Amino acid sequence: MNVKLKIFRFDPKNDTEPHYDTFMMNAKSTDRLLDCLNKIRWEQDGSLAYRMSCAHGICGSDGMTINGVSALACQKLV
């Protein structure tokens, strides 16, 4: 399925204000949001930065706001 991810970003070296970047990608319904973020960073935009560690829902380092709700990117399915 085609997925559109709208990511809130800010780079103080290049940006004066935070902004959203939109990325289109193909994902499976079994992919987790963290898988999609990794795919964007590896294939579309190497400057994308986020925290992650265990990718198993234990450490909590990939916590973020997803569709207005706080959640772990490694646990949320696309």
Side-chain angles (χ1 to χ4, degrees), residues 3-5 7 9 21-25 40 44-45:
V3 176
K4 179 168 70 171
L5 295 176
I7 300 174
R9 303 180 73 179
D21 282 341
T22 302
F23 298 92
M24 296 294 294
M25 62 179 300
I40 289 170
Q44 296 184 38
D45 187 345

Side-chain angles (χ1 to χ4, degrees), residues 34-77:
L34 184 59
D35 299 325
C36 294
L37 291 172
N38 286 334
K39 194 171 182 180
I40 289 170
R41 186 170 67 189
W42 298 331
E43 298 176 3
Q44 296 184 38
D45 187 345
S47 72
L48 184 63
Y50 48 92
R51 289 188 53 129
M52 63 168 273
S53 184
C54 74
H56 296 290
I58 296 170
C59 70
S61 68
D62 63 343
M64 56 184 67
T65 303
I66 303 168
N67 292 331
V69 178
S70 296
L72 298 178
C74 65
Q75 292 183 328
K76 286 293 179 190
L77 293 173

Side-chain angles (χ1 to χ4, degrees), residues 6-33:
K6 192 168 129 181
I7 300 174
F8 194 61
R9 303 180 73 179
F10 178 69
D11 179 355
K13 292 179 185 175
N14 299 318
D15 302 325
T16 57
E17 295 290 326
H19 64 279
Y20 284 96
D21 282 341
T22 302
F23 298 92
M24 296 294 294
M25 62 179 300
N26 193 12
K28 300 177 209 154
S29 60
T30 56
D31 285 344
R32 307 215 179 261
L33 186 57

